[in-house]
Amino acid sequence: SRLLGGSLEELWGFECSLCAGRNVSCMAWNTLQPDLLAVAYGEFEFTKQTDGLILFWSLKNPGYPMKTYRTPCSVTSIAFANRSPHLLGVGMYDGTVAVYDVRKEEDKPVLESGYGGGKHSDCVWEVRWTDKDHGAERGEVLVSVSSDGRVAQWSMSKGLEHTDLIKLKRVNTQSKSAAANTKREAFISRMASGMCADFNPKDPSLYIVGTEEGAMHKCSVSYNEQYLDTYTGHSGPVYKVAWSPFLSSAFLSCSADWSVKMWHSDQEAPLLSMQSSSDCVNDIQWSPTVSTVFVSVT
């Protein structure tokens, strides 16, 4: 009853003339300086596209940002590196992946993908840093998920070099009985649009990818041709997947079908399904201290 009756009180807001009228697309806290918040601004719709903006806010001064980065198009995803928290990975609406060094004064990326170097051909919905503890190269790498169907890994040892972890292919999300009673139709495109991903906290070689068609796939960085498992409980785009920090075989997913589902990686059907009232669920996050608590945003 105490949890159900809880409330949140607004302490202050971060705003200035630079971001007036702009849409907040994503945010990321710095892993070294806990009072530093990076906020990206951009539009998700094609007809509303403008330039992008990243502002670095501090709890010490909510009235004006510490640093400002301007980008040629909308910013759709950002993430600070864990081992090198001065590096900020950025994904953009036009498919660009860029890495900024926040220690530098200029607002130019230190590394940026180009059309000849593996740039995505569609929007980058998520960027995520993960440890690479296999193969000859070790360290932290940046992974991007895009609507073009590619999950790409970016290494910074010699510029910004990419490797496709997997190219997402469409699967039939209908049950076998429903598929048998439905006239078979060919896919317009064999590629599936990637929306989100999360790497397993215990085994970083395993990851879950959510797609626009509603399917989720468990994949391995060692296999780029096939899925390890597929989960088909959602009827709309999957906006977020999140492994449990306490149980490495459990994960959450949220979708435009108004639902949040909890899964066990060894079972095809969800363990638990929760429905929102009448809104798509845009984000979910596990509690870092309580294993049975998570938060969702509609």
Side-chain angles (χ1 to χ4, degrees):
S1 60
R2 183 179 300 176
L3 290 176
L4 294 176
S7 61
L8 292 175
E9 180 181 355
E10 180 180 340
L11 300 179
W12 59 78
F14 299 96
E15 59 179 322
C16 66
S17 58
L18 295 174
C19 57
R22 289 180 178 266
N23 177 65
V24 175
S25 55
C26 48
M27 299 180 292
W29 289 100
N30 188 268
T31 54
L32 180 63
Q33 299 182 11
D35 67 321
L36 180 60
L37 176 66
V39 180
Y41 302 83
E43 297 291 343
F44 296 136
E45 297 181 24
F46 177 77
T47 57
K48 298 181 179 180
Q49 284 307 302
T50 60
D51 62 328
L53 185 68
I54 304 175
L55 301 182
F56 294 84
W57 298 93
S58 172
L59 298 178
K60 302 172 184 176
N61 181 19
Y64 202 81
M66 300 172 54
K67 187 185 292 285
T68 302
Y69 289 163
R70 295 188 179 275
T71 61
C73 67
S74 294
V75 179
T76 50
S77 55
I78 56 174
F80 278 108
N82 297 312
R83 296 189 182 183
S84 303
H86 59 278
L87 296 179
L88 179 71
V90 177
M92 303 184 196
Y93 190 86
D94 68 345
T96 300
V97 173
V99 177
Y100 289 83
D101 188 340
V102 299
R103 299 172 301 181
K104 298 182 178 295
E105 292 297 329
E106 62 270 15
D107 64 347
K108 301 293 183 182
V110 292
L111 295 170
E112 186 175 15
S113 63
Y115 286 104
K119 178 181 176 180
H120 289 286
S121 60
D122 210 334
C123 177
V124 178
W125 290 115
E126 182 153 23
V127 289
R128 184 174 290 272
W129 297 89
T130 185
D131 290 330
K132 184 179 180 182
D133 294 327
H134 61 279
E137 184 182 346
R138 303 294 176 106
E140 199 171 25
V141 294
L142 183 65
V143 173
S144 59
V145 183
S146 171
S147 296
D148 65 1
R150 293 168 48 218
V151 179
Q153 175 180 282
W154 303 87
S155 171
M156 295 174 291
S157 58
K158 298 178 181 178
L160 195 61
E161 298 179 333
H162 87 287
T163 302
D164 285 343
L165 294 181
I166 199 166
K167 293 183 179 180
L168 301 170
K169 298 179 178 61
R170 289 183 180 273
V171 297
N172 189 356
T173 58
Q174 291 181 318
S175 64
K176 293 182 179 179
S177 59
N181 298 324
T182 304
K183 183 180 179 181
R184 179 171 295 182
E185 297 180 359
F187 292 129
I188 296 176
S189 172
R190 283 290 173 183
M191 300 298 291
S193 297
M195 301 295 294
C196 56
D198 192 24
F199 283 80
N200 190 284
K202 187 176 181 180
D203 184 359
S205 67
L206 298 177
Y207 61 98
I208 296 285
V209 181
T211 66
E212 189 178 34
E213 62 183 344
M216 294 169 293
H217 309 291
K218 183 169 75 170
C219 308
S220 171
V221 297
S222 303
Y223 304 98
N224 61 0
E225 294 294 333
Q226 62 184 8
Y227 308 130
L228 300 181
D229 283 302
T230 295
Y231 312 92
T232 56
H234 287 293
S235 58
V238 178
Y239 289 144
K240 193 75 171 184
V241 291
W243 289 99
S244 168
F246 299 94
L247 182 62
S248 59
S249 58
F251 65 93
L252 290 170
S253 63
C254 66
S255 169
D257 64 4
W258 306 356
S259 71
V260 175
K261 298 181 185 295
M262 185 170 70
W263 307 77
H264 190 284
S265 59
D266 295 334
Q267 300 181 21
E268 293 183 359
L271 299 175
L272 185 65
S273 183
M274 292 150 282
Q275 202 80 10
S276 70
S277 56
S278 59
D279 291 308
C280 62
V281 186
N282 295 302
D283 205 352
I284 47 174
Q285 185 68 49
W286 288 95
S287 166
T289 56
V290 183
S291 62
T292 57
V293 174
F294 69 90
V295 64
S296 64
V297 179
T298 59

